[in-house]
């Protein structure tokens, strides 16, 4: 007796296994455009078949092809290849993790802080409110921070070092703009050969005994819209004709504004946020795509 199958796909989390991070891009590119809508039902009986895409971690339930394109226009490619400066988000972009989440987990408050991070990155709450709320949940001491940096060094996203080397070789200036903390980003910048003055991030404050006091509210990135202001500042100071912002969150998307970034490239290799990807000029799931496009 012939039977008709019901086929569905349920994306879960992107694996942090470096070997698995290349899978989403290849997987999605080879699927037909209407793959996720495939559903056939027999009137009398059917056999449900489910494919679990265990290497995926999107923040959405739609097919990727429904809300963003991984194929840039010729105009976007031209700007990318001739950019004077490229600004990178750090957490879940240059690095595989969200720094504050990792530090919170190290201090025993990982789950609660992670929930606030998702709110902040989706743009549902003011960034400064989310930052203060997250820090108040675990109030890290200077000793805890130093211990964390010793025991959990930064984990770079696959292909980011090669991409940054290619950009620098073509005389493109590289910046790190983050809502994270300078103390945690400096080791990343050092590893990638990015000068300290090209870091725009927050600063944790400690007392004379190493007790947590808060964060420096004068930093550009300490508040909502801060990354956009940082990008505008960089462009104005250096007189760049073209500048690009690359990141995964709503705060990165904000940088594409008058006097700010000419392009926003959404990097979805760690986290894929539908609302952000839908408004990006280009969505990439691998830094290799950006490197190859420079050729």
């Amino acid at each position: 007796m012939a039977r008709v199958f019901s086929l569905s796909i349920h994306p879960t989390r992107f694996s942090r296994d470096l070997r698995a991070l290349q899978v989403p891009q290849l997987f999605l590119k080879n699927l037909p455009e209407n793959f996720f809508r495939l559903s056939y039902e027999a009137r009398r009986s059917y056999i449900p078949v489910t494919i679990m895409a265990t290497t995926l971690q999107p923040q959405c339930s739609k097919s990727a092809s429904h809300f963003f394109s991984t194929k840039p226009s010729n105009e976007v490619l031209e700007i990318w290849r001739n950019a004077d400066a490229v600004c990178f988000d750090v957490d879940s972009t240059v690095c595989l993790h969200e720094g504050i989440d990792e530090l919170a987990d190290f201090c025993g408050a990982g789950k609660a802080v992670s929930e606030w991070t998702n709110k902040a990155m989706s743009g549902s709450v003011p960034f400064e409110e989310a930052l203060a709320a997250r820090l108040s949940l675990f109030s890290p001491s200077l000793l805890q921070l130093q211990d964390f940096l010793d025991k959990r060094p930064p984990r770079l996203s696959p292909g980011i070092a090669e991409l940054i080397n290619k950009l620098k070789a073509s005389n493109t200036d590289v910046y790190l703009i983050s809502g994270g903390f300078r103390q945690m980003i400096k080791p990343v910048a050092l590893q990638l050969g990015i000068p300290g003055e090209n870091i725009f991030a927050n600063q944790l404050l400690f007392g004379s005994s190493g007790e947590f006091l808060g964060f420096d509210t004068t930093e550009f990135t300490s508040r909502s819209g801060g990354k956009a202001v940082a990008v505008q500042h960089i462009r104005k100071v250096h007189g760049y004709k073209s500048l690009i912002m690359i990141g995964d969150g709503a705060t990165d998307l904000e940088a594409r504004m008058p006097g700010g970034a000419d392009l926003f490239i959404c990097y979805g290799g760690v986290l894929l946020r539908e609302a952000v990807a839908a408004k990006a000029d280009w969505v990439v799931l691998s830094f290799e795509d950006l490197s190859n496009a420079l050729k």
Side-chain angles (χ1 to χ4, degrees):
M1 175 179 177
R3 297 190 179 186
V4 182
F5 293 83
S6 173
L7 177 61
S8 61
I9 183 164
H10 301 276
T12 56
R13 295 186 63 82
F14 277 137
S15 168
R16 287 188 175 182
D17 184 329
L18 302 186
R19 296 168 299 176
L21 283 170
Q22 303 299 322
V23 174
Q25 179 189 24
L26 299 175
F27 183 81
L28 292 174
K29 282 184 175 180
N30 292 324
L31 292 179
E33 185 173 324
N34 66 342
F35 180 79
F36 290 91
R37 293 180 292 164
L38 290 176
S39 179
Y40 300 92
E41 297 183 2
R43 291 187 177 182
R44 295 186 178 181
S45 64
Y46 67 94
I47 300 175
V49 177
T50 299
I51 298 176
M52 298 301 294
T54 56
T55 57
L56 298 180
Q57 180 187 353
Q59 300 294 310
C60 57
S61 58
K62 296 182 181 180
S63 165
S65 61
H66 288 182
F67 63 89
F68 71 75
S69 174
T70 57
K71 295 182 179 180
S73 66
N74 290 334
E75 181 182 3
V76 167
L77 277 176
E78 184 68 15
I79 296 173
W80 168 242
R81 289 167 177 164
N82 295 282
D84 295 320
V86 177
C87 300
F88 288 89
D89 170 47
V90 177
D91 297 331
S92 295
T93 301
V94 169
C95 293
L96 289 170
H97 54 267
E98 290 286 333
I100 191 170
D101 291 359
E102 292 282 306
L103 178 59
D105 180 67
F106 185 79
C107 296
K111 183 178 180 181
V113 170
S114 180
E115 291 174 355
W116 269 102
T117 296
N118 288 332
K119 292 179 183 179
M121 291 301 100
S122 66
S124 60
V125 296
F127 181 79
E128 58 271 27
E129 178 183 332
L131 182 58
R134 286 179 287 176
L135 288 171
S136 69
L137 290 171
F138 66 108
S139 300
S141 67
L142 179 58
L143 182 60
Q144 284 177 311
L145 176 62
Q146 293 172 337
D147 195 28
F148 168 78
L149 293 174
D150 288 339
K151 295 179 179 178
R152 295 193 185 181
R155 292 171 290 143
L156 299 181
S157 291
I160 186 61
E162 292 79 4
L163 173 59
I164 288 177
N165 284 337
K166 290 191 72 171
L167 288 170
K168 291 192 295 183
S170 62
N171 295 317
T172 301
D173 292 337
V174 177
Y175 294 83
L176 299 179
I177 303 181
S178 175
F181 306 109
R182 289 180 182 273
Q183 292 97 327
M184 299 166 65
I185 294 172
K186 284 181 179 178
V188 177
L190 183 63
Q191 191 171 344
L192 294 171
I194 298 172
E197 59 267 26
N198 286 16
I199 299 173
F200 289 79
N202 289 309
Q203 182 85 8
L204 289 171
L205 302 177
F206 302 97
S208 57
S209 299
E211 73 277 15
F212 175 71
L213 296 180
F215 60 93
D216 186 351
T217 58
T218 66
E219 294 281 4
F220 289 133
T221 58
S222 67
R223 52 195 178 273
S224 291
K227 288 186 178 181
V229 176
V231 168
Q232 289 176 322
H233 171 80
I234 291 169
R235 187 161 194 166
K236 182 178 180 180
V237 169
H238 297 279
Y240 295 128
K241 293 182 179 179
S242 59
L243 184 150
I244 294 171
M245 182 72 201
I246 300 176
D248 71 299
T251 56
D252 306 307
L253 176 62
E254 290 173 346
R256 190 187 58 192
M257 62 184 301
D262 297 284
L263 293 179
F264 168 64
I265 299 176
C266 177
Y267 176 68
V270 179
L271 290 172
L272 185 60
R273 307 178 196 277
E274 176 183 357
V276 177
K279 297 178 181 179
D281 297 293
W282 185 6
V283 178
V284 297
L285 301 176
S286 168
F287 282 123
E288 185 178 355
D289 286 349
L290 293 178
S291 291
N292 291 339
L294 289 174
K295 295 179 179 179

